[in-house]
Amino acid sequence: MAHVITQACCADGACTTVCPVDCIHPTPAEREYLVTEMLYIDPDTCIDCGQCVPECPVDAIYSGYDLPDHLASYAAINAEYFKGTTLGDVPRRVAAPPELHEDQPLRVAIVGSGPAGSYSAHELVEVGGSGIRVDIFDRLPTPFGLARLGVAPDHLGTKLVMRTFSELGADPRVRFHLNTEIGRDITVEELREHYHAVFFTHGASSSRRLGIEGEDLPGSHAATQFVAWYNGHPDSPKPRGWQPPSHVVVIGNGNVAIDVARQLTLGPEHLAASDMAPYAVDVLSRGLVKDVTVVGRRSALHAACTLPELEALADRTDIDVVVPPEDLVLTDHELAAVRESGMLRLKYELFRTLSERPHTRERSITFRFLLTPQRILGESHAEGIELARNRMVSLGDRTVLEPTGETTVLPTNLVLRSVGYAGVELPGLPFDEATMTVPTDGARVLTEPGGEVIPGLYSAGWVKRGPSGVMGTNKLDAQGTVKVLLDDVRAGRIAAPAKSLDDLDRLLRQRQPQVVPWQGWQAIEAHELAHGTETGRPRVKVTSREALVEFAAARLSTETEEQ
Ligand code: SF4
């Protein structure tokens, strides 16, 4: 029986490099990799050797014999992928890294310690040998960005990728400067004075807007704000006494929308088993939310959530997952697409199965399709949302969206918009307002979109390409940017920095005495894990910036006293 890749897959591709029979796809060398939801094992080729299992950073690969019941559908999902998917190779330039020397190492600053920054650092130390030094800066006192503060608290498997990122902390060539903000504690220009190259990998932490009336009413929020709240983001407001209403509307049906709907309807035992912030567990354990309506503009075939997320939702036995059958009507073109693509068929069939289930439980998540938000209703607080009904129509060889002229109102006191993350402008760094990204030529930062290259500045991850792909997609992206840097080093396009790392350390001590180094984060993590063990939870997060900095400082002062 073949091995099977399951829901937690981060698609970082580590498993593809060890498979002796090349049966894990798409690999990072294949065109499909850039758009895939996860990786898959071809059951007709797999020889069951098990070599991929220890390589997976998130423990997502199982022998078919050991596949847990709740993941059983992944055997068919893995097999289905190989029916009708054409895997095209992406041509890659392969070049030996330039010779870097220990006595004059290449110094790289990385701004942002999330997946793109961590994968960049991994690649740099991998190819740089003893001739590389990497300093990672993050404005938060905790590392790993969205891996800690964006991934849903009940997706502990996905968070296992932090084990891989943590290898950086033990590497003497890598230093962390957490709780250090670019533009406040140190400027982009000052980074350029101290490093050969600066990587901007600070992600996309804000969110796109709907641009409709009533969007700024209390009770109308970005889903990212809610994600920050339940994940214990230190900068997230934590209003005392807040209670969710019984009906919540989520606009958008991508994975973040599904995450939000799921957290709002988790039962107390699942909340306790997650690493959700303690105050959020207290609020959501009361079970006040009875229904979450997830609204999409287009038809079910265009639902942006991945099949694994939908599968996980469909497997829940504590809530109803509802899809009105009338929302599942497809055009002829869409039906043809369903017939041609195994993965689309699986997704559509799952929606159909859900639409036929009886509704027997007290709590539910309801998918609605073909509805566009028009305005959020209410005087001083959101009281409902008005939506325009659409239909999909075949136009030539395309399917297009068309308003029907009908509207409908969903009463609610909480609207969460989940229509995409957006990058944030960093002082001293060019920013493209149209795409909410840093303008680049694919890796090198440009003065403006289509402008000149700024020597020594590079970018990777969401802040460069926008919020696309899964976590592991950032690995390929980071590797590409590192490769461009090394090309520039080889070609003599990188100037030596004017100042030393000792100068940098002196400057930082003056500007930000509360920099949290790796040892400070270790103290925070040890505390969180110990508190989790005491209370029967995987971890209890520290959620205030002051407390995080204090834990780190206490550990560092103990170390100083012991010396
Ligand atoms: Fe490849 Fe062996 Fe994993 Fe099968 S079990 S996918 S053959 S590495």
Side-chain angles (χ1 to χ4, degrees):
M1 185 175 276
H3 275 53
V4 177
I5 302 181
T6 62
Q7 189 262 332
C9 177
C10 68
D12 88 346
C15 55
T16 65
T17 62
V18 297
C19 178
V21 292
D22 190 27
C23 68
I24 308 177
H25 295 278
T27 71
E30 291 163 338
R31 219 172 292 281
E32 270 290 306
Y33 180 81
L34 298 173
V35 293
T36 196
E37 296 178 349
M38 55 178 280
L39 306 186
Y40 308 87
I41 291 174
D42 182 355
D44 292 338
T45 320
C46 173
I47 57 172
D48 246 359
C49 69
Q51 289 191 43
C52 51
V53 175
E55 290 303 315
C56 177
V58 294
D59 296 350
I61 307 180
Y62 291 82
S63 159
Y65 295 107
D66 302 328
L67 199 57
D69 285 350
H70 72 283
L71 298 173
S73 57
Y74 284 87
I77 290 173
N78 277 240
E80 197 65 42
Y81 181 76
F82 293 90
K83 299 174 190 163
T85 302
T86 309
L87 297 164
D89 285 350
V90 177
R92 290 273 172 76
R93 291 175 301 151
V94 178
E99 272 199 33
L100 302 173
H101 299 287
E102 192 171 357
D103 48 351
Q104 282 188 318
L106 183 73
R107 305 200 308 248
V108 182
I110 295 179
V111 176
S113 65
S118 294
Y119 281 128
S120 296
H122 257 285
E123 183 68 7
L124 284 163
V125 295
E126 181 80 12
V127 300
S130 59
I132 193 97
R133 294 290 179 276
V134 179
D135 277 3
I136 302 175
F137 295 80
D138 201 299
R139 68 182 193 84
L140 295 178
T142 57
F144 311 140
L146 283 184
R148 173 178 162 92
L149 296 168
V151 172
D154 60 333
H155 277 176
L156 297 175
T158 309
K159 289 173 188 249
L160 289 177
V161 74
M162 289 194 284
R163 288 187 308 200
T164 306
F165 297 160
S166 292
E167 291 167 10
L168 293 167
D171 193 313
R173 297 165 295 178
V174 179
R175 303 191 302 175
F176 281 77
H177 305 283
L178 306 172
N179 200 33
T180 306
E181 189 163 337
I182 307 305
R184 182 193 67 185
D185 303 323
I186 187 162
T187 66
V188 169
E189 214 36 56
E190 286 166 339
L191 286 176
R192 294 183 76 190
E193 289 171 1
H194 294 86
Y195 296 90
H196 292 89
V198 186
F199 274 41
F200 294 94
T201 58
H202 47 289
S205 55
S206 71
S207 52
R208 292 193 172 273
R209 292 175 59 83
L210 294 168
I212 61 173
E213 185 186 328
E215 191 170 5
D216 294 319
L217 279 172
S220 164
H221 304 279
T224 49
Q225 290 174 284
F226 188 61
V227 170
W229 174 77
Y230 66 56
N231 265 326
H233 193 296
D235 294 344
S236 169
K238 299 157 182 87
R240 284 183 186 277
W242 179 76
Q243 295 193 338
S246 63
H247 181 215
V248 179
V249 173
V250 180
I251 303 298
N253 54 19
N255 281 358
V256 175
I258 304 299
D259 279 349
V260 163
R262 203 175 60 252
Q263 307 311 305
L264 281 164
T265 54
L266 283 178
E269 69 286 3
H270 290 111
L271 290 165
S274 76
D275 73 355
M276 185 180 283
Y279 55 78
V281 172
D282 286 348
V283 172
L284 298 180
S285 289
R286 292 175 212 149
L288 298 172
V289 177
K290 302 303 179 197
D291 180 62
V292 182
T293 303
V294 177
V295 175
R297 218 162 46 91
R298 299 191 288 170
S299 71
L301 216 52
H302 300 273
C305 58
T306 58
L307 185 59
E309 288 298 333
L310 197 57
E311 286 277 347
L313 208 55
D315 281 346
R316 281 184 62 179
T317 54
D318 56 333
I319 59 166
D320 287 328
V321 181
V322 179
V323 185
E326 62 273 21
D327 277 22
L328 287 181
V329 178
L330 299 185
T331 66
D332 291 346
H333 281 121
E334 287 178 315
L335 286 169
V338 167
R339 282 193 292 274
E340 278 167 24
S341 162
M343 302 312 284
L344 270 186
R345 191 173 67 248
L346 286 180
K347 202 173 198 176
Y348 185 61
E349 281 175 0
L350 191 50
F351 276 126
R352 284 193 71 90
T353 303
L354 292 170
S355 74
E356 290 161 6
R357 281 189 187 168
H359 310 154
T360 56
R361 296 172 182 90
E362 192 198 356
R363 308 177 80 190
S364 56
I365 293 175
T366 302
F367 283 91
R368 297 296 312 273
F369 298 104
L370 296 165
L371 294 170
T372 299
Q374 295 297 289
R375 60 190 172 118
I376 294 173
L377 308 170
E379 290 295 320
S380 57
H381 194 283
E383 292 172 9
I385 180 163
E386 183 182 288
L387 302 141
R389 178 161 282 287
N390 306 312
R391 60 177 158 243
M392 304 294 288
V393 290
S394 297
L395 190 70
D397 58 357
R398 294 181 301 134
T399 299
V400 295
L401 195 69
E402 187 178 88
T404 64
E406 296 164 27
T407 57
T408 186
V409 170
L410 297 177
T412 181
N413 296 124
L414 181 59
V415 177
L416 298 171
R417 64 175 188 278
S418 178
V419 290
Y421 283 86
V424 176
E425 187 168 4
L426 211 59
L429 188 70
F431 190 70
D432 182 352
E433 293 281 351
T435 58
M436 306 290 273
T437 58
V438 172
T440 69
D441 66 356
R444 304 176 185 91
V445 176
L446 304 177
T447 50
E448 59 187 330
E452 301 290 314
V453 167
I454 305 177
L457 301 192
Y458 301 83
S459 186
W462 280 8
V463 78
K464 177 187 86 175
R465 64 175 202 278
S468 63
V470 291
M471 184 126 44
T473 316
N474 293 299
K475 182 175 180 179
L476 182 66
D477 192 358
Q479 288 171 337
T481 298
V482 169
K483 190 179 176 322
V484 171
L485 164 64
L486 296 180
D487 283 348
D488 287 349
V489 171
R490 204 179 291 105
R493 289 190 283 265
I494 298 294
K499 297 182 179 172
S500 70
L501 288 186
D502 286 341
D503 294 332
L504 182 277
D505 293 345
R506 268 192 294 277
L507 184 69
L508 271 187
R509 275 198 298 274
Q510 286 168 13
R511 299 265 181 83
Q512 172 51 300
Q514 293 184 312
V515 170
V516 174
W518 180 254
Q519 294 78 0
W521 159 242
Q522 284 181 305
I524 294 166
E525 175 150 64
H527 170 83
E528 291 185 343
L529 294 174
H531 195 179
T533 304
E534 284 164 18
T535 54
R537 301 193 61 203
R539 123 179 4 238
V540 178
K541 280 183 176 174
V542 179
T543 63
S544 91
R545 188 180 278 268
E546 295 72 25
L548 287 163
V549 171
E550 271 172 29
F551 272 113
R555 158 79 181 259
L556 296 175
S557 72
T558 309
E559 277 183 1
T560 311
E561 282 168 20
E562 286 170 357
Q563 281 167 6

